[in-house]
Amino acid sequence: MNKNLYVVLMAGGVGVRFWPYSRNSRPKQFLDVLGTGKTLLQSTYERFLPICPAENIYVVTHEEHAALVKEQLPLLKEHQILAEPMRKNTTACIAYASYTIHEKNKEAIIVVSPSDHLILKENEFREIVKKAADQAKAQDKLITIGIKPTRPETGYGYIQYHTEKSFTKKVKTFTEKPELSLAKKFLESGDFVWNAGIFIWGAEAIIKAIQTYLPEMAESFEEIKSKLGTKEEKEAIRIVYPQCKNISIDYGVMEKATNVFVCLGDFSWSDLGSWASIHEISQKDENNNVIQANALTYETRNCIVKGSGDKLIVAQGLNGYLIGEFGNVFIVCEKDKEEQFRRFVNDVKSKQNANDFL
């Protein structure tokens, strides 16, 4: 096991596209979305244990969910839970973790992973991570994992790469969520992969990149780095975070850097980013329905029916819908229109007792 290998699990999202199942008090990563008996965070944590010392795994989350992380991952020490005072997208999250780890180990190689993705072929995934970590040892590459596309998906980002035969391939371009016609061209070309949002790099390499492309953010963390891992950390982070630009690592660093590489993976991956993706990977009945409820369905197909079990749900004549009972919210909507969920949440916020439903 590589003692210089560290893992950072990003667990700060609110899971708007899974409302009303995902709520502010318990977002998607803290739910047993797949019915396995483990939450997505727990499954992700366990995925890395065979290749990374448990003491080298860090979780970055919003401070309101720090106790929930500790509850679900009780073996984590307090210093392994990095609590953000506000959400500032993935660059601030990665900078916080990278400076923290770099203060402990200047030779650290860091794997950054979302905490809410599905990976079925875990052994294949770990082999790719180990190879990429070996490539990152020289502290001169920013590596991301690309997934061989199986369909012209418009909900994912795409990476175009140079087609050399090496394990890591130089990245040409990043494209975020293309139109269907463009996604079809990407699929046909053969030199585009889905962006899994999983990164492998040396701590020094990513810090140098942040210094180059987001110097103000780097300067803020440089000023407090000696306080990381001490009793002064919490207050220092409270001062730094409002100064951080709200920007993703893709836009902030990866699309600008010249030392970005991709390694190709084929390990049955899904970002579980929508109800449609849950439908795709879940067990279905003879009418292509995913039934996770006490339900009766008639002339209904391609639907998700989800409920607590103490209420009977009867659905008739529906095609491609989410029919769900989640506590104090009942929802019936087209499952494939994921953009609508942001609208639903925004409209709920205008209600007088909005917090009861969010």
Side-chain angles (χ1 to χ4, degrees):
M1 191 176 288
N2 185 353
K3 292 184 178 180
N4 287 332
L5 185 64
Y6 290 75
V7 171
V8 174
L9 303 182
M10 298 183 291
V14 291
V16 169
R17 289 180 292 175
F18 275 99
W19 183 86
Y21 184 30
S22 176
R23 305 287 186 102
N24 288 342
S25 61
R26 194 172 287 259
K28 179 179 73 164
Q29 60 270 25
F30 301 109
L31 299 171
D32 179 11
V33 171
L34 302 173
T36 62
K38 296 175 185 175
T39 68
L40 294 177
L41 174 63
Q42 289 169 329
S43 295
T44 307
Y45 173 81
E46 291 179 8
R47 184 176 301 139
F48 286 100
L49 286 177
I51 60 172
C52 176
E55 62 270 22
N56 288 7
I57 300 179
Y58 287 74
V59 178
V60 187
T61 192
H62 192 278
E63 60 184 17
E64 68 182 345
H65 297 132
L68 198 51
V69 172
K70 182 63 177 172
E71 175 190 315
Q72 294 196 357
L73 301 177
L75 295 181
L76 286 184
K77 302 289 192 295
E78 188 175 340
H79 72 272
Q80 291 173 268
I81 302 173
L82 306 182
E84 298 179 292
M86 60 185 67
R87 294 181 177 89
K88 284 286 187 152
N89 218 312
T90 53
T91 305
C93 155
I94 287 168
Y96 182 8
S98 299
Y99 273 95
T100 298
I101 292 168
H102 190 254
E103 285 301 291
K104 295 174 71 72
N105 184 347
K106 300 296 188 284
E107 297 179 10
I109 307 300
I110 302 173
V111 182
V112 178
S113 171
S115 59
D116 54 1
H117 288 187
L118 170 70
I119 292 174
L120 293 178
K121 298 178 182 177
E122 296 196 334
N123 287 333
E124 287 90 334
F125 169 73
R126 285 189 284 264
E127 286 304 311
I128 288 172
V129 170
K130 286 192 288 186
K131 286 181 183 178
D134 192 57
Q135 295 268 319
K137 268 197 255 184
Q139 303 283 342
D140 60 352
K141 291 179 180 176
L142 305 177
I143 301 171
T144 184
I145 295 180
I147 309 297
K148 184 179 179 181
T150 56
R151 61 186 183 278
E153 173 63 55
T154 59
Y156 295 161
Y158 285 74
I159 300 169
Q160 184 184 26
Y161 60 90
H162 293 275
T163 55
E164 60 260 39
K165 292 182 179 180
S166 55
F167 174 70
T168 53
K169 305 172 191 302
K170 196 85 160 38
V171 169
K172 281 186 186 177
T173 61
F174 286 87
T175 304
E176 275 300 306
K177 297 183 179 179
E179 295 290 329
L180 181 59
S181 59
L182 190 55
K184 287 179 178 177
K185 289 179 181 177
F186 288 171
L187 196 65
E188 291 165 4
S189 76
D191 60 350
F192 283 82
V193 287
W194 289 333
N195 184 359
I198 301 168
F199 308 102
I200 303 100
W201 44 47
E204 285 194 13
I206 187 59
I207 286 173
K208 186 183 292 185
I210 295 170
Q211 289 170 339
T212 301
Y213 302 107
L214 292 165
E216 299 88 354
M217 186 181 295
E219 186 177 334
S220 296
F221 277 98
E222 288 287 341
E223 289 177 359
I224 66 151
K225 66 182 182 181
S226 63
K227 297 178 181 178
L228 298 174
T230 74
K231 292 179 180 179
E232 299 175 83
E233 176 179 324
K234 186 174 181 178
E235 184 56 33
I237 289 297
R238 283 190 173 279
I239 294 170
V240 161
Y241 255 66
Q243 303 169 26
C244 289
K245 189 174 183 178
N246 188 343
I247 191 168
S248 72
I249 196 70
D250 288 319
Y251 286 127
V253 172
M254 301 299 277
E255 293 185 9
K256 299 172 183 174
T258 58
N259 60 333
V260 178
F261 293 78
V262 63
C263 53
L264 309 187
D266 184 10
F267 38 74
S268 298
W269 167 90
S270 171
D271 77 343
L272 298 178
S274 65
W275 285 108
S277 64
I278 293 293
H279 183 271
E280 182 182 353
I281 59 95
S282 297
Q283 185 174 348
K284 304 169 190 69
D285 68 10
E286 64 276 10
N287 294 307
N288 208 38
N289 296 313
V290 175
I291 308 292
Q292 298 174 347
N294 184 8
L296 295 172
T297 57
Y298 305 87
E299 297 90 45
T300 292
R301 59 193 187 280
N302 307 313
C303 290
I304 297 176
V305 185
K306 193 170 179 64
S308 59
D310 59 345
K311 298 180 181 70
L312 176 64
I313 298 174
V314 181
Q316 185 273 327
L318 296 178
N319 181 13
Y321 274 72
L322 165 68
I323 308 110
E325 175 258 319
F326 304 98
N328 60 353
V329 177
F330 194 91
I331 187 168
V332 180
C333 66
E334 292 173 277
K335 67 172 172 47
D336 293 347
K337 293 190 175 179
E338 61 181 87
E339 71 280 357
Q340 290 287 347
F341 286 85
R342 296 190 186 279
R343 178 185 172 188
F344 299 158
V345 170
N346 286 334
D347 288 348
V348 169
K349 286 177 181 177
S350 67
K351 298 181 73 66
Q352 187 173 0
N353 54 341
N355 287 336
D356 292 344
F357 304 109
L358 294 174

